[in-house]
Coordinates of all heavy atoms in Angstrom, one line a residue:
M1 N 29.0 17.5 2.3 CA 30.0 16.8 3.1 C 29.4 16.2 4.4 O 28.6 16.8 5.0 CB 31.1 17.9 3.5 CG 32.2 17.3 4.3 SD 33.5 18.5 4.9 CE 34.2 18.9 3.3
D2 N 29.9 15.0 4.6 CA 29.4 14.3 5.8 C 29.9 15.1 7.1 O 31.1 15.4 7.2 CB 29.9 12.9 5.9 CG 29.3 12.0 6.9 OD1 28.8 12.6 8.0 OD2 29.3 10.8 6.8
E3 N 29.0 15.4 8.0 CA 29.4 16.2 9.2 C 30.4 15.5 10.0 O 31.2 16.2 10.8 CB 28.1 16.5 10.1 CG 27.2 17.5 9.5 CD 26.3 18.1 10.5 OE1 26.5 17.9 11.7 OE2 25.3 18.7 10.1
K4 N 30.5 14.2 9.9 CA 31.6 13.5 10.6 C 33.0 13.9 10.2 O 33.9 13.8 11.0 CB 31.5 12.0 10.3 CG 30.4 11.3 11.2 CD 30.3 9.8 10.9 CE 29.1 9.2 11.7 NZ 28.7 8.0 11.1
R5 N 33.1 14.5 9.0 CA 34.4 15.0 8.6 C 34.9 16.3 9.2 O 36.0 16.7 9.1 CB 34.4 15.1 7.0 CG 34.3 13.8 6.3 CD 34.5 13.9 4.8 NE 35.8 14.5 4.5 CZ 36.1 15.0 3.3 NH1 35.2 15.0 2.4 NH2 37.3 15.5 3.1
Y6 N 34.0 16.9 10.0 CA 34.3 18.1 10.8 C 35.2 17.7 12.0 O 35.7 18.5 12.7 CB 33.1 18.8 11.3 CG 32.1 19.3 10.2 CD1 30.9 19.7 10.6 CD2 32.4 19.3 8.9 CE1 29.9 20.2 9.7 CE2 31.5 19.7 7.9 CZ 30.3 20.2 8.3 OH 29.3 20.6 7.4
Y7 N 35.1 16.4 12.3 CA 35.7 15.9 13.6 C 36.8 14.9 13.4 O 36.8 14.1 12.5 CB 34.6 15.3 14.5 CG 33.4 16.2 14.7 CD1 32.3 16.1 13.9 CD2 33.4 17.2 15.7 CE1 31.2 16.9 14.1 CE2 32.3 18.0 15.9 CZ 31.2 17.9 15.1 OH 30.1 18.7 15.4
E8 N 37.6 14.8 14.5 CA 38.5 13.7 14.7 C 37.8 12.7 15.6 O 37.3 13.1 16.6 CB 39.8 14.1 15.4 CG 40.6 15.2 14.7 CD 41.7 14.6 13.8 OE1 41.7 13.4 13.6 OE2 42.4 15.4 13.3
E9 N 37.7 11.5 15.1 CA 37.0 10.5 16.0 C 37.9 9.6 16.7 O 38.9 9.2 16.2 CB 36.1 9.6 15.0 CG 34.8 10.2 14.6 CD 34.0 9.1 13.9 OE1 34.5 8.3 13.2 OE2 32.8 9.2 14.2
K10 N 37.5 9.4 18.0 CA 38.4 8.5 18.8 C 37.5 7.8 19.8 O 36.6 8.4 20.4 CB 39.4 9.4 19.6 CG 40.4 8.6 20.4 CD 41.5 9.6 20.9 CE 40.9 10.7 21.7 NZ 41.5 11.3 22.8
E11 N 37.7 6.5 19.9 CA 36.9 5.7 20.9 C 37.5 5.8 22.3 O 38.7 5.6 22.4 CB 36.7 4.3 20.4 CG 35.5 3.6 21.0 CD 35.4 2.2 20.4 OE1 35.2 2.0 19.2 OE2 35.5 1.2 21.3
E12 N 36.8 6.0 23.3 CA 37.3 6.1 24.7 C 36.4 5.2 25.6 O 35.2 5.2 25.4 CB 37.3 7.5 25.2 CG 38.6 8.2 25.0 CD 38.6 9.6 25.5 OE1 37.9 9.9 26.5 OE2 39.3 10.4 24.9
T13 N 37.1 4.6 26.5 CA 36.3 3.8 27.5 C 36.4 4.5 28.8 O 37.5 4.9 29.3 CB 36.9 2.4 27.6 OG1 36.8 1.8 26.3 CG2 36.1 1.6 28.6
K14 N 35.3 4.8 29.4 CA 35.2 5.5 30.7 C 34.6 4.5 31.8 O 33.6 3.9 31.5 CB 34.4 6.8 30.7 CG 35.1 7.8 29.8 CD 34.3 9.1 29.7 CE 34.8 10.0 28.6 NZ 36.1 10.5 28.9
Q15 N 35.1 4.5 33.0 CA 34.6 3.7 34.0 C 33.4 4.5 34.6 O 33.5 5.7 35.0 CB 35.6 3.5 35.1 CG 36.7 2.6 34.7 CD 36.3 1.1 34.5 OE1 35.5 0.6 35.1 NE2 37.0 0.5 33.5
M16 N 32.2 3.9 34.7 CA 31.1 4.6 35.3 C 30.5 3.7 36.5 O 30.4 2.5 36.4 CB 30.0 4.8 34.3 CG 30.4 5.8 33.2 SD 29.1 5.9 31.9 CE 27.8 6.9 32.8
Q17 N 30.2 4.4 37.6 CA 29.5 3.7 38.7 C 28.0 3.6 38.4 O 27.3 4.6 38.2 CB 29.7 4.6 40.0 CG 31.0 4.5 40.6 CD 31.4 3.1 41.1 OE1 32.4 2.5 40.8 NE2 30.5 2.5 41.9
L18 N 27.6 2.3 38.3 CA 26.2 2.1 37.9 C 25.5 1.1 38.8 O 26.2 0.2 39.3 CB 26.1 1.6 36.5 CG 26.6 2.6 35.4 CD1 26.8 1.9 34.1 CD2 25.6 3.7 35.2
V19 N 24.3 1.3 39.0 CA 23.5 0.4 39.9 C 22.6 -0.5 39.0 O 21.9 0.0 38.1 CB 22.6 1.2 40.9 CG1 21.8 0.2 41.7 CG2 23.5 2.0 41.7
C20 N 22.8 -1.8 39.2 CA 21.9 -2.8 38.4 C 20.5 -2.6 38.9 O 20.2 -2.7 40.1 CB 22.4 -4.2 38.6 SG 21.3 -5.4 38.0
P21 N 19.5 -2.5 37.9 CA 18.1 -2.3 38.3 C 17.5 -3.6 38.8 O 16.4 -3.6 39.4 CB 17.4 -1.8 37.1 CG 18.3 -2.3 36.0 CD 19.7 -2.3 36.5
H22 N 18.2 -4.7 38.6 CA 17.6 -6.0 39.0 C 18.0 -6.4 40.4 O 17.2 -6.7 41.3 CB 18.1 -7.1 38.1 CG 17.7 -6.8 36.6 ND1 16.5 -6.9 36.1 CD2 18.5 -6.5 35.6 CE1 16.5 -6.5 34.8 NE2 17.7 -6.3 34.5
C23 N 19.3 -6.3 40.7 CA 19.8 -6.7 42.1 C 20.2 -5.5 42.9 O 20.6 -5.7 44.1 CB 21.0 -7.7 41.9 SG 22.4 -6.9 41.2
R24 N 20.2 -4.3 42.3 CA 20.5 -3.1 43.1 C 22.0 -3.0 43.5 O 22.3 -2.2 44.4 CB 19.6 -2.9 44.3 CG 18.1 -2.8 44.0 CD 17.8 -1.3 43.6 NE 16.6 -1.3 42.8 CZ 16.3 -0.3 42.0 NH1 17.1 0.8 41.9 NH2 15.2 -0.3 41.3
Q25 N 22.8 -3.8 43.0 CA 24.2 -3.7 43.4 C 25.0 -2.7 42.5 O 24.7 -2.7 41.3 CB 24.9 -5.1 43.2 CG 26.2 -5.2 43.9 CD 26.8 -6.6 43.8 OE1 27.7 -6.8 43.0 NE2 26.4 -7.5 44.6
E26 N 25.8 -1.9 43.2 CA 26.6 -0.9 42.4 C 27.9 -1.5 42.0 O 28.6 -2.1 42.8 CB 26.7 0.3 43.3 CG 27.3 1.5 42.5 CD 27.3 2.8 43.3 OE1 26.5 3.0 44.2 OE2 28.2 3.6 43.0
N27 N 28.3 -1.2 40.8 CA 29.6 -1.6 40.3 C 30.2 -0.6 39.3 O 29.4 0.2 38.8 CB 29.5 -3.0 39.6 CG 29.6 -4.2 40.6 OD1 30.6 -4.3 41.3 ND2 28.6 -5.0 40.6
A28 N 31.5 -0.7 39.1 CA 32.1 0.2 38.1 C 32.0 -0.6 36.7 O 32.4 -1.8 36.7 CB 33.5 0.5 38.4
Y29 N 31.5 0.0 35.7 CA 31.4 -0.6 34.4 C 32.2 0.2 33.4 O 32.1 1.4 33.4 CB 30.0 -0.7 34.0 CG 29.2 -1.6 34.8 CD1 28.5 -1.2 35.9 CD2 29.0 -3.0 34.4 CE1 27.8 -2.0 36.7 CE2 28.3 -3.8 35.2 CZ 27.6 -3.4 36.3 OH 26.9 -4.2 37.1
P30 N 32.9 -0.5 32.5 CA 33.6 0.2 31.4 C 32.5 0.5 30.3 O 31.8 -0.4 29.8 CB 34.6 -0.8 30.9 CG 34.1 -2.1 31.3 CD 33.2 -1.9 32.4
V31 N 32.4 1.8 30.0 CA 31.4 2.2 29.0 C 32.1 2.9 27.9 O 33.0 3.8 28.1 CB 30.3 3.2 29.6 CG1 29.3 3.6 28.6 CG2 29.6 2.5 30.8
R32 N 31.9 2.5 26.6 CA 32.6 3.0 25.5 C 31.8 4.3 25.0 O 30.6 4.3 24.9 CB 32.7 2.0 24.4 CG 33.7 0.9 24.7 CD 33.7 -0.2 23.6 NE 32.3 -0.7 23.5 CZ 31.8 -1.1 22.3 NH1 32.5 -1.1 21.2 NH2 30.6 -1.6 22.2
W33 N 32.6 5.3 24.6 CA 32.1 6.5 24.0 C 32.9 6.8 22.8 O 34.1 6.5 22.6 CB 32.4 7.7 25.0 CG 31.6 7.6 26.3 CD1 32.0 6.8 27.4 CD2 30.4 8.2 26.6 NE1 31.0 7.0 28.4 CE2 30.1 7.8 27.9 CE3 29.6 9.1 26.0 CZ2 28.9 8.3 28.6 CZ3 28.4 9.6 26.6 CH2 28.1 9.2 27.9
M34 N 32.2 7.4 21.8 CA 32.9 7.9 20.6 C 33.1 9.4 20.8 O 32.1 10.2 21.0 CB 32.0 7.7 19.4 CG 32.7 8.1 18.1 SD 34.3 7.3 17.8 CE 33.7 5.7 17.2
V35 N 34.3 9.8 20.9 CA 34.6 11.2 21.1 C 34.9 11.9 19.8 O 35.8 11.5 19.0 CB 35.8 11.4 22.1 CG1 36.1 12.8 22.3 CG2 35.6 10.7 23.4
R36 N 34.1 12.9 19.5 CA 34.3 13.7 18.2 C 34.8 15.1 18.5 O 34.1 15.9 19.0 CB 33.0 13.8 17.4 CG 32.5 12.4 17.0 CD 31.6 12.4 15.8 NE 31.4 11.0 15.3 CZ 30.3 10.3 15.5 NH1 29.3 10.9 16.0 NH2 30.2 9.1 15.1
T37 N 36.1 15.3 18.3 CA 36.8 16.5 18.5 C 36.8 17.3 17.2 O 37.3 16.9 16.2 CB 38.2 16.3 19.1 OG1 38.2 15.4 20.1 CG2 38.8 17.6 19.6
K38 N 36.3 18.5 17.3 CA 36.2 19.4 16.1 C 37.6 19.7 15.6 O 38.5 20.0 16.4 CB 35.5 20.7 16.5 CG 35.2 21.6 15.3 CD 34.5 22.9 15.8 CE 34.4 23.9 14.7 NZ 33.7 25.1 15.1
R39 N 37.8 19.5 14.3 CA 39.1 19.8 13.7 C 39.4 21.3 13.8 O 38.5 22.1 13.9 CB 39.1 19.4 12.2 CG 39.0 17.9 12.0 CD 38.9 17.6 10.5 NE 38.6 16.2 10.3 CZ 39.5 15.2 10.3 NH1 40.7 15.5 10.4 NH2 39.1 14.0 10.1
T40 N 40.6 21.7 13.7 CA 41.0 23.1 13.7 C 40.6 23.8 12.4 O 40.3 24.9 12.3 CB 42.5 23.3 14.1 OG1 43.2 22.4 13.3 CG2 42.7 23.1 15.5
Q41 N 40.7 23.0 11.3 CA 40.3 23.5 10.0 C 39.4 22.5 9.3 O 39.5 21.3 9.4 CB 41.6 23.6 9.2 CG 42.3 25.0 9.4 CD 43.4 25.2 8.4 OE1 44.1 24.3 8.0 NE2 43.4 26.4 7.8
L42 N 38.6 23.0 8.4 CA 37.7 22.2 7.6 C 38.6 21.5 6.6 O 39.5 22.0 6.0 CB 36.7 23.1 6.8 CG 35.3 23.2 7.3 CD1 34.5 24.2 6.4 CD2 34.6 21.8 7.2
P43 N 38.3 20.2 6.4 CA 39.0 19.5 5.3 C 38.7 20.0 3.9 O 37.7 20.7 3.8 CB 38.5 18.0 5.4 CG 37.3 18.0 6.3 CD 37.3 19.3 7.0
G44 N 39.5 19.8 3.0 CA 39.3 20.3 1.6 C 38.0 19.9 1.0 O 37.4 18.8 1.4
G45 N 37.5 20.6 0.1 CA 36.2 20.3 -0.6 C 35.0 20.8 0.1 O 33.9 20.4 -0.3
A46 N 35.2 21.7 1.0 CA 34.0 22.2 1.8 C 33.3 23.3 0.9 O 34.0 24.1 0.3 CB 34.5 22.8 3.1
N47 N 32.0 23.3 1.0 CA 31.2 24.4 0.3 C 30.7 25.4 1.4 O 31.1 25.3 2.6 CB 30.1 23.8 -0.5 CG 29.1 23.0 0.4 OD1 29.0 23.3 1.6 ND2 28.4 22.1 -0.2
E48 N 30.0 26.4 0.9 CA 29.4 27.4 1.8 C 28.7 26.9 3.0 O 28.9 27.3 4.1 CB 28.5 28.3 0.9 CG 28.3 29.7 1.6 CD 29.6 30.4 1.9 OE1 30.5 30.5 1.0 OE2 29.7 30.9 3.0
Q49 N 27.8 25.9 2.7 CA 27.0 25.2 3.7 C 27.9 24.6 4.8 O 27.6 24.7 6.0 CB 26.0 24.2 3.1 CG 25.0 23.6 4.0 CD 24.1 24.6 4.6 OE1 23.4 25.4 3.9 NE2 24.0 24.7 5.9
D50 N 28.9 23.9 4.3 CA 29.9 23.3 5.2 C 30.5 24.3 6.1 O 30.7 24.0 7.3 CB 30.9 22.5 4.5 CG 30.4 21.2 3.8 OD1 29.6 20.5 4.5 OD2 30.7 21.0 2.7
R51 N 30.9 25.4 5.6 CA 31.6 26.4 6.4 C 30.7 27.0 7.4 O 31.1 27.2 8.6 CB 32.1 27.5 5.5 CG 33.5 27.3 4.9 CD 34.1 28.5 4.2 NE 33.5 28.6 2.8 CZ 33.9 28.0 1.8 NH1 35.0 27.2 1.8 NH2 33.4 28.1 0.6
E52 N 29.4 27.1 7.0 CA 28.4 27.6 8.0 C 28.2 26.6 9.1 O 28.2 26.9 10.3 CB 27.1 27.8 7.2 CG 26.1 28.7 7.9 CD 26.7 30.1 8.1 OE1 27.4 30.7 7.3 OE2 26.4 30.6 9.2
N53 N 28.0 25.3 8.7 CA 27.8 24.3 9.7 C 29.0 24.1 10.6 O 28.9 23.9 11.8 CB 27.5 22.9 9.1 CG 26.2 22.9 8.4 OD1 25.3 23.8 8.6 ND2 26.0 22.0 7.5
F54 N 30.2 24.2 10.0 CA 31.4 24.0 10.8 C 31.6 25.0 11.9 O 32.0 24.8 13.0 CB 32.6 24.0 9.8 CG 33.9 23.7 10.5 CD1 34.2 22.4 10.8 CD2 34.9 24.7 10.7 CE1 35.4 22.1 11.4 CE2 36.1 24.4 11.3 CZ 36.4 23.0 11.7
K55 N 31.2 26.3 11.5 CA 31.3 27.4 12.5 C 30.5 27.0 13.8 O 30.9 27.3 14.9 CB 30.8 28.7 11.9 CG 31.8 29.7 11.7 CD 31.2 31.1 11.3 CE 31.2 31.1 9.7 NZ 30.5 32.3 9.2
K56 N 29.3 26.4 13.5 CA 28.4 26.1 14.7 C 28.8 24.8 15.4 O 28.3 24.5 16.5 CB 27.0 26.0 14.2 CG 26.4 27.4 13.8 CD 24.9 27.2 13.4 CE 24.7 27.8 12.0 NZ 23.7 27.2 11.2
A57 N 29.6 24.0 14.7 CA 29.9 22.7 15.2 C 30.6 22.8 16.6 O 31.5 23.7 16.8 CB 30.7 21.9 14.2
R58 N 30.3 21.8 17.5 CA 31.0 21.8 18.8 C 31.5 20.3 19.0 O 30.9 19.4 18.5 CB 30.0 22.1 19.9 CG 29.5 23.5 19.9 CD 30.3 24.4 20.8 NE 30.7 23.8 22.1 CZ 29.9 24.0 23.2 NH1 28.9 24.7 23.2 NH2 30.3 23.4 24.3
S59 N 32.6 20.2 19.7 CA 33.1 18.9 20.0 C 32.1 18.2 20.9 O 31.5 18.8 21.8 CB 34.4 19.0 20.7 OG 35.4 19.6 19.9
Y60 N 31.9 16.9 20.8 CA 31.0 16.2 21.6 C 31.3 14.7 21.7 O 32.2 14.2 21.0 CB 29.5 16.3 21.1 CG 29.3 15.7 19.8 CD1 28.6 14.5 19.7 CD2 29.7 16.3 18.6 CE1 28.3 13.9 18.5 CE2 29.4 15.7 17.3 CZ 28.7 14.5 17.3 OH 28.4 13.9 16.1
M61 N 30.7 14.0 22.6 CA 30.9 12.6 22.7 C 29.5 11.9 22.7 O 28.6 12.4 23.3 CB 31.8 12.2 23.8 CG 31.4 12.6 25.2 SD 32.7 12.1 26.3 CE 31.7 11.7 27.8
V62 N 29.5 10.7 22.1 CA 28.3 9.9 22.0 C 28.5 8.6 22.7 O 29.5 7.9 22.4 CB 27.9 9.7 20.5 CG1 26.5 9.0 20.5 CG2 27.9 11.0 19.8
R63 N 27.6 8.2 23.5 CA 27.8 6.9 24.1 C 27.5 5.7 23.1 O 26.6 5.8 22.3 CB 26.8 6.7 25.3 CG 27.2 5.6 26.3 CD 26.2 5.6 27.4 NE 24.9 5.2 27.0 CZ 23.8 5.5 27.5 NH1 23.8 6.4 28.5 NH2 22.6 5.1 27.0
I64 N 28.4 4.8 23.1 CA 28.3 3.6 22.1 C 27.5 2.5 22.8 O 26.6 1.9 22.2 CB 29.7 3.1 21.7 CG1 30.5 4.2 21.0 CG2 29.6 1.9 20.8 CD1 31.9 3.9 20.8
D65 N 27.9 2.2 24.0 CA 27.2 1.1 24.7 C 25.8 1.5 25.2 O 25.7 2.5 25.8 CB 28.1 0.6 25.9 CG 29.3 0.0 25.4 OD1 29.3 -0.8 24.5 OD2 30.4 0.2 26.1
N66 N 24.9 0.6 25.0 CA 23.5 0.9 25.5 C 23.0 -0.2 26.5 O 22.1 -0.1 27.2 CB 22.5 1.0 24.3 CG 22.7 2.2 23.5 OD1 22.8 3.3 24.1 ND2 22.8 2.1 22.2
L67 N 23.8 -1.3 26.4 CA 23.3 -2.5 27.2 C 24.6 -3.0 27.9 O 25.6 -3.2 27.3 CB 22.8 -3.6 26.2 CG 21.9 -4.7 26.8 CD1 20.6 -4.1 27.3 CD2 21.6 -5.7 25.7
L68 N 24.4 -3.3 29.2 CA 25.5 -3.9 30.0 C 25.0 -5.2 30.7 O 23.8 -5.4 30.9 CB 25.9 -2.9 31.1 CG 26.5 -1.6 30.6 CD1 26.7 -0.7 31.8 CD2 27.9 -1.9 30.0
A69 N 25.9 -6.0 31.0 CA 25.6 -7.2 31.8 C 26.1 -7.0 33.2 O 27.2 -6.6 33.4 CB 26.3 -8.4 31.2
C70 N 25.2 -7.3 34.1 CA 25.5 -7.0 35.6 C 26.7 -7.8 36.0 O 26.9 -9.0 35.5 CB 24.3 -7.5 36.4 SG 24.5 -7.2 38.2
R71 N 27.6 -7.2 36.8 CA 28.8 -7.9 37.2 C 28.6 -8.8 38.5 O 29.5 -9.4 38.9 CB 29.9 -6.8 37.5 CG 30.3 -6.1 36.2 CD 31.4 -5.2 36.4 NE 32.6 -5.8 36.8 CZ 33.7 -5.2 37.0 NH1 33.8 -3.9 37.0 NH2 34.8 -5.8 37.4
N72 N 27.5 -8.7 39.1 CA 27.2 -9.5 40.2 C 26.9 -10.9 39.7 O 26.0 -11.2 38.9 CB 25.9 -9.0 40.9 CG 25.4 -9.8 42.0 OD1 26.0 -10.9 42.3 ND2 24.4 -9.4 42.7
I73 N 27.8 -11.9 40.1 CA 27.7 -13.2 39.5 C 26.4 -13.9 39.9 O 26.0 -14.9 39.2 CB 28.9 -14.1 39.9 CG1 29.2 -14.1 41.4 CG2 30.2 -13.7 39.2 CD1 30.1 -15.2 41.9
K74 N 25.7 -13.5 40.9 CA 24.5 -14.1 41.3 C 23.3 -13.5 40.4 O 22.2 -14.0 40.5 CB 24.2 -13.9 42.7 CG 25.1 -14.6 43.6 CD 24.6 -14.6 45.1 CE 25.7 -15.1 46.0 NZ 26.2 -14.0 46.9
C75 N 23.6 -12.5 39.7 CA 22.5 -11.8 38.9 C 22.8 -11.9 37.4 O 22.1 -12.7 36.7 CB 22.5 -10.3 39.3 SG 21.4 -9.3 38.3
R76 N 23.9 -11.3 37.0 CA 24.3 -11.5 35.6 C 23.2 -11.0 34.5 O 23.3 -11.3 33.3 CB 24.7 -12.9 35.2 CG 26.0 -13.3 35.8 CD 27.1 -12.8 35.1 NE 28.4 -13.3 35.5 CZ 29.6 -12.7 35.3 NH1 29.6 -11.6 34.6 NH2 30.7 -13.2 35.8
K77 N 22.2 -10.3 35.0 CA 21.2 -9.9 34.0 C 21.7 -8.7 33.2 O 22.5 -7.9 33.7 CB 19.9 -9.5 34.8 CG 19.2 -10.7 35.4 CD 17.7 -10.3 35.7 CE 16.9 -11.4 36.3 NZ 17.1 -11.6 37.7
R78 N 21.1 -8.6 32.1 CA 21.4 -7.4 31.2 C 20.5 -6.3 31.6 O 19.4 -6.5 32.0 CB 21.2 -7.8 29.8 CG 22.3 -8.7 29.2 CD 21.9 -9.2 27.9 NE 23.0 -10.0 27.4 CZ 24.0 -9.4 26.6 NH1 24.0 -8.2 26.3 NH2 25.0 -10.2 26.2
F79 N 21.1 -5.1 31.5 CA 20.2 -3.9 31.7 C 20.6 -2.8 30.8 O 21.8 -2.7 30.3 CB 20.2 -3.5 33.2 CG 21.6 -3.0 33.8 CD1 22.0 -1.7 33.7 CD2 22.4 -4.0 34.3 CE1 23.2 -1.3 34.2 CE2 23.7 -3.6 34.8 CZ 24.1 -2.3 34.8
D80 N 19.7 -1.9 30.5 CA 19.9 -0.8 29.7 C 20.6 0.4 30.4 O 20.3 0.6 31.6 CB 18.6 -0.2 29.1 CG 18.0 -1.1 28.1 OD1 18.7 -1.6 27.2 OD2 16.7 -1.4 28.1
L81 N 21.5 1.0 29.7 CA 22.1 2.3 30.3 C 21.0 3.4 30.1 O 20.5 3.5 29.0 CB 23.3 2.6 29.5 CG 24.6 2.0 30.0 CD1 25.7 2.2 29.0 CD2 25.0 2.8 31.3
T82 N 20.9 4.2 31.1 CA 19.9 5.3 31.0 C 20.7 6.6 31.1 O 21.9 6.6 31.3 CB 18.9 5.2 32.1 OG1 19.5 5.2 33.4 CG2 18.0 4.0 32.0
G83 N 20.0 7.7 30.9 CA 20.6 9.0 31.0 C 21.1 9.5 29.6 O 20.8 8.9 28.6
Q84 N 21.8 10.6 29.7 CA 22.2 11.3 28.5 C 23.1 10.4 27.6 O 24.0 9.8 28.2 CB 22.9 12.5 28.9 CG 22.3 13.8 28.5 CD 23.0 15.0 29.1 OE1 23.2 15.2 30.3 NE2 23.6 15.8 28.2
T85 N 22.9 10.5 26.3 CA 23.8 9.7 25.4 C 24.8 10.6 24.7 O 25.7 10.2 24.1 CB 23.0 8.9 24.4 OG1 22.1 9.8 23.7 CG2 22.2 7.8 25.1
V86 N 24.5 11.9 24.7 CA 25.4 12.9 24.0 C 25.8 14.0 25.0 O 24.9 14.5 25.7 CB 24.7 13.5 22.8 CG1 25.5 14.5 22.1 CG2 24.2 12.4 21.8
F87 N 27.1 14.3 25.0 CA 27.6 15.4 25.8 C 28.5 16.3 25.0 O 29.3 15.8 24.2 CB 28.5 14.8 27.0 CG 27.7 14.2 28.1 CD1 27.4 12.8 28.1 CD2 27.3 14.9 29.2 CE1 26.7 12.2 29.1 CE2 26.6 14.3 30.2 CZ 26.3 13.0 30.2
L88 N 28.2 17.6 25.2 CA 29.2 18.5 24.6 C 30.4 18.5 25.4 O 30.4 18.4 26.6 CB 28.6 19.9 24.5 CG 27.4 20.1 23.5 CD1 26.8 21.5 23.7 CD2 27.9 20.0 22.1
I89 N 31.6 18.6 24.7 CA 32.8 18.6 25.5 C 33.7 19.9 25.2 O 33.4 20.6 24.3 CB 33.7 17.4 25.3 CG1 33.8 17.1 23.8 CG2 33.0 16.2 26.0 CD1 34.7 15.9 23.5
Ligands
ZN101 ZN1 22.3 -7.3 38.8

């Protein structure tokens, strides 16, 4: 079974304060995350391995966006998002 089936998936946008590495200006950017919330029960068709994995599974979120465009109109350069891309929730 695909591990994705252990979770309810939902896309969320969070505002993050980020500093552009080119012009050093700080702005709030909308960053998209895929939130995977562990289901209360395994879906049908699970085998022994799935039950084992499901027990260990934790809800988490993964960052979708990796690249942003600077909001400073005099800069407008693209920059990579750094830092953690996966968070347990
Ligand atoms: Zn910039």
